[in-house]
Amino acid sequence: MKVLSIQSAVAYGHVGNSAAVFPLQRIGVEVMPVYTVNFSNHTGYGAWGGPMISPDDVRAVIAGVEDRGAFPQIDVVLSGYQGGEGIADVILDTVARVKAANPDAVYACDPVMGNAKSGCFVAPAIPILLRERVVPAADIITPNQFELGFLTETDPTDLDSTLASVDAARAMGPRTVLVTSVERPERPDGTIEMLAADDTGAWIVRTPHIPMKANGSGDVTAALFTAHYRSTGSAAEALARTTSSVFDLLTRTHESGERELQLVESQEAYAHPRMQFTVEQVR
């Protein structure tokens, strides 16, 4: 499998491509990372160095990849946090070009815009851009529950309303939806869930909630789910593998006491997931 991943990069820590690339490589995926920013660290620290890469420069890098004849071999275009409005045009153009070269290719979009605790933390134009132009062009999306609600202009809370929001998202264009950080009121205390749905059904998985903020964990989740789904064709299998790997990554990170993901130290969790959680079909 070959993935063209258009995301941010940092020198210190693991977010964006700096979170997604290594886990994909560890499960045998060839990744072509294209950077949208090249920062010293993620912006959650409040201070960082390095440039945001202009859309024209991002486009030039992708054009160089195309000139090498790589587009017919690309199975997945993956995108995450979009720092500026212009990157969307580059991504959408790239998706169209890749799909023209390989009609079996898919576009997986992690529509990063915020979370229930912090609200939206991207530029004001980005959520509207994602809802109106980017998500409708995607085959797979991986929003958290907050982002799912914004995209569909609904209020997913319990299982039924979350499934209804997923249906609304799928009606926008994507056939496959992974919802992360599902916090429905009927779940047991101290747990958190993820839900995946496609044309064949919907599945949910529950894990203990690890009390920490883990920048980059969503990027790992989106990357692994997309790769596993692409290789197996099963949303349930992809959900089980991804949940196992990410839970063990977060557990190791929490136990380390470090702020940044223990990405390299957790590599066996990607290559050989323990499959320790039961995936339940809910539709």
Side-chain angles (χ1 to χ4, degrees), residues 10 13 30 36 55-56 116 151 185 214 277:
V10 295
E30 181 73 36
T36 55
D56 286 344
L151 289 171
F277 300 109

Side-chain angles (χ1 to χ4, degrees), residues 161-177:
S161 61
T162 300
L163 286 170
S165 297
V166 166
D167 290 342
R170 295 181 68 239
M172 296 168 66
R175 303 313 304 159
T176 304
V177 178

Side-chain angles (χ1 to χ4, degrees), residues 24-249:
L24 288 175
Q25 291 172 330
R26 193 61 181 82
I27 63 172
V29 175
E30 181 73 36
V31 188
M32 299 172 229
V34 176
Y35 301 151
T36 55
V37 307
N38 189 14
F39 288 166
S40 56
N41 50 268
H42 68 71
T43 59
Y45 285 96
W48 63 93
M52 181 175 289
I53 300 172
S54 74
D56 286 344
D57 287 337
V58 176
R59 191 187 302 273
V61 171
I62 295 169
V65 173
E66 184 178 19
D67 289 345
R68 303 287 75 75
F71 277 17
Q73 304 168 19
I74 292 173
D75 300 289
V76 176
V77 178
L78 175 66
S79 73
Y81 169 75
Q82 297 184 25
E85 298 176 50
I87 294 297
D89 290 329
V90 177
I91 291 170
L92 292 173
D93 179 64
T94 301
V95 169
R97 288 174 176 273
V98 168
K99 288 190 171 187
N102 177 13
D104 291 330
V106 299
Y107 171 36
C109 171
D110 185 8
V112 178
M113 63 181 77
N115 56 58
K117 293 182 176 63
S118 305
C120 280
F121 50 64
V122 297
I126 297 297
I128 305 300
L129 182 64
L130 287 168
R131 181 167 63 200
E132 293 182 354
R133 294 189 56 214
V134 180
V135 165
D139 301 287
I140 301 168
I141 60 170
T142 59
N144 60 38
Q145 194 174 25
F146 170 84
E147 292 161 342
L148 175 68
F150 183 91
L151 289 171
T152 58
E153 300 181 272
T154 60
D155 184 25
T157 52
D158 60 8
L159 179 59
D160 287 343
S161 61
T162 300
L163 286 170
S165 297
V166 166
D167 290 342
R170 295 181 68 239
M172 296 168 66
R175 303 313 304 159
T176 304
V177 178
L178 172 70
V179 188
T180 64
S181 301
V182 175
E183 300 186 53
R184 53 182 176 140
E186 63 266 38
R187 76 190 191 284
D189 289 342
T191 65
I192 196 163
E193 296 169 315
M194 286 203 295
L195 183 148
D198 64 6
D199 288 338
T200 64
W203 294 264
I204 200 164
V205 63
R206 178 184 301 140
T207 73
H209 176 61
I210 300 172
M212 63 175 292
K213 182 178 181 180
N215 294 90
S217 59
D219 303 317
V220 176
T221 301
L224 287 177
F225 177 82
T226 297
H228 288 311
Y229 184 70
R230 179 69 176 178
S231 64
T232 68
S234 166
E237 179 76 8
L239 181 62
R241 289 181 174 274
T242 301
T243 301
S244 175
S245 298
V246 173
F247 179 81
D248 283 352
L249 166 63

